[in-house]
Amino acid sequence: MSLGLNPDRLGSLKLYAELSLNSDQSDSLNLYAELSLRLRSIYNVGTRLCEVGTRLDEFLYPISDPETRLMFDTLLSLQPQISSVAGESREDKVLELSAHIYKQIPENIDYDNTVKILSIDPSPINVVLLQEIQRYNALLVEIRKSLKDLDMGIQGLVVMTVELESIFICIYDGRVPPSWLKAYPSLKPLAAWTRDLVQRLDQLEKWATTAHPPNIFWMSGFTFPTGFLTAVLQLSARLNNVSIDSLSWEFSVMTVDDTNITGPPKDGVYIKGLFLQGAGWDKKNQCLIEATPMQLVCQIPTIHFKPVENKKKVTKGIYTCPCYYFPNRTGSMGRPSFIVATELKSGDKSPDHWAKRGTALLMSLDY
């Protein structure tokens, strides 16, 4: 949903506010009036936007439009930097939040022990597990170090560097610090990102402890899903004694619930946790349908990713649906968001219809 505002004007909102004492205030006042009017008409929260210290991220709906997101990020940055809520200072709030995050994140996964357990089966899938453990352990070390340094900085025991100041502001605003996003990109707010991180580590921990891959993979929990899919192709190529270059994917959306899947497939993997954007899914007819009103995304059932040899391309009644790592389809930080092109039945609509809709699969959302 777009508000019809020019991003350049939105980006200059903060500049208008900062220069208001030294320049004509008419532009600033007009821009604020325009924003206030549009916010009241769409979200009906005009009165709350005028409150000092209001946390915008606490009550706004998920925002997927980049222009709208930029506007709210700009408004959030204009909040008073020195304020208190019920006698609680910003420093006290950040200390409380950082302590809560520190308690939530689990301990590092035992990499050395996992190497010993998996040494008897050096399959490509197990190599992916070890690589993922290394990346997540490095992330956990970075998070703990940042939180400890921030705690000492707030107490005045160490100097508050530019990086610590950035982490302080991000935690107070409910955003993920940039230094924590080096392992994998995400648009989730801090609270949702932390819960998502715990779930990612839980999948790897169970896999490492039991030495058995899960029956259904949550591919969204990998930092590099493309590496995981390549490993599945390598494993299938070895089992069937064929060239990996001759393999491609065949996709089957499951008709049964995950609870009824008691084991892995004979070939390939089951993938869960994907979201369909720009369309709905007809479970009975196993095809795309129009999304229900006010529904931006819906969760698609588990999909069987099956490697097949010399597959012939079928275009009639099939929509080639791109799968992206997160809602920013162009990617970020030098990493592409595109993962794989899946194939879904287009139903009573043509594939071009869903292409114009921008229909795609997302591995994670922004909330």
Side-chain angles (χ1 to χ4, degrees), residues 233-250:
L233 290 177
Q234 290 176 340
L235 183 61
S236 178
R238 294 179 183 180
L239 291 175
N240 298 290
N241 196 25
V242 297
S243 170
I244 188 175
D245 295 331
S246 65
L247 295 178
S248 56
W249 292 109
E250 183 178 87

Side-chain angles (χ1 to χ4, degrees), residues 44-102:
N44 196 27
V45 292
T47 54
R48 295 191 64 182
L49 293 176
C50 297
E51 296 173 4
V52 176
T54 297
R55 293 286 301 279
L56 297 179
D57 56 304
E58 291 179 350
F59 66 90
L60 290 177
Y61 294 107
I63 301 169
S64 58
D65 179 70
E67 184 179 329
T68 309
R69 179 181 293 276
L70 174 61
M71 183 188 68
F72 286 118
D73 287 344
T74 304
L75 289 175
L76 186 62
S77 69
L78 292 175
Q79 292 186 110
Q81 298 300 307
I82 302 177
S83 62
S84 62
V85 180
E88 187 177 37
S89 66
R90 296 174 72 244
E91 289 75 13
D92 293 337
K93 185 65 176 179
V94 171
L95 283 174
E96 178 185 352
L97 292 173
S98 61
H100 181 67
I101 295 172
Y102 196 93

Side-chain angles (χ1 to χ4, degrees), residues 78-338:
L78 292 175
Q79 292 186 110
Q81 298 300 307
I82 302 177
S83 62
S84 62
V85 180
E88 187 177 37
S89 66
R90 296 174 72 244
E91 289 75 13
D92 293 337
K93 185 65 176 179
V94 171
L95 283 174
E96 178 185 352
L97 292 173
S98 61
H100 181 67
I101 295 172
Y102 196 93
K103 292 180 181 178
Q104 275 191 303
I105 58 175
E107 295 296 326
N108 288 15
I109 301 176
D110 193 338
Y111 176 80
D112 294 333
N113 186 53
T114 305
V115 171
K116 294 179 181 178
I117 295 176
L118 300 180
S119 59
I120 58 176
D121 182 20
S123 69
I125 295 292
N126 288 336
V127 173
V128 170
L129 171 61
L130 296 175
Q131 292 174 344
E132 291 291 324
I133 290 177
Q134 286 181 314
R135 297 189 190 104
Y136 278 110
N137 281 349
L139 174 60
L140 292 175
V141 171
E142 172 65 24
I143 294 175
R144 293 194 188 94
K145 180 180 183 300
S146 299
L147 294 177
K148 289 180 179 178
D149 292 345
L150 180 61
D151 181 86
M152 296 177 65
I154 294 176
Q155 297 183 43
L157 301 178
V158 297
V159 177
M160 283 287 287
T161 62
V162 176
E163 183 179 357
L164 288 180
E165 183 69 23
S166 174
I167 295 174
F168 178 93
I169 296 174
C170 286
I171 292 179
Y172 182 77
D173 291 342
R175 295 181 286 114
V176 183
S179 59
W180 299 2
L181 292 174
K182 294 179 180 179
Y184 59 93
S186 176
L187 295 180
K188 293 179 180 291
L190 182 58
W193 183 86
T194 305
R195 292 191 297 267
D196 179 75
L197 175 62
V198 173
Q199 293 174 359
R200 289 166 176 258
L201 292 167
D202 183 62
Q203 175 179 234
L204 297 181
E205 178 68 35
K206 291 179 180 179
W207 185 358
T209 303
T210 61
H212 293 290
N215 295 331
I216 307 175
F217 286 91
W218 181 42
M219 192 169 64
S220 309
F222 295 116
T223 58
F224 282 91
T226 51
F228 168 74
L229 292 177
T230 301
V232 175
L233 290 177
Q234 290 176 340
L235 183 61
S236 178
R238 294 179 183 180
L239 291 175
N240 298 290
N241 196 25
V242 297
S243 170
I244 188 175
D245 295 331
S246 65
L247 295 178
S248 56
W249 292 109
E250 183 178 87
F251 306 93
S252 302
V253 182
M254 304 301 293
T255 59
V256 298
D257 296 333
D258 291 349
T259 54
N260 296 322
I261 300 177
T262 57
K266 293 182 179 179
D267 198 5
V269 290
Y270 292 130
I271 301 297
K272 66 177 181 179
L274 299 180
F275 299 91
L276 187 61
Q277 185 179 53
W281 184 254
D282 187 340
K283 294 182 180 179
K284 181 179 179 180
N285 298 314
Q286 295 293 290
C287 64
L288 295 170
I289 57 174
E290 293 290 353
T292 57
M294 303 301 294
Q295 184 181 42
L296 298 179
V297 295
C298 69
Q299 191 161 2
I300 196 170
T302 295
I303 301 178
H304 180 195
F305 282 53
K306 181 181 178 180
V308 293
E309 187 180 7
N310 299 324
K311 179 185 176 182
K312 295 182 179 179
K313 187 175 182 180
V314 180
T315 58
K316 186 176 181 180
I318 298 295
Y319 170 61
T320 303
C321 183
C323 178
Y324 297 97
Y325 193 75
F326 65 128
N328 185 359
R329 300 187 182 188
T330 59
S332 64
M333 298 183 295
R335 283 190 55 177
S337 183
F338 176 79

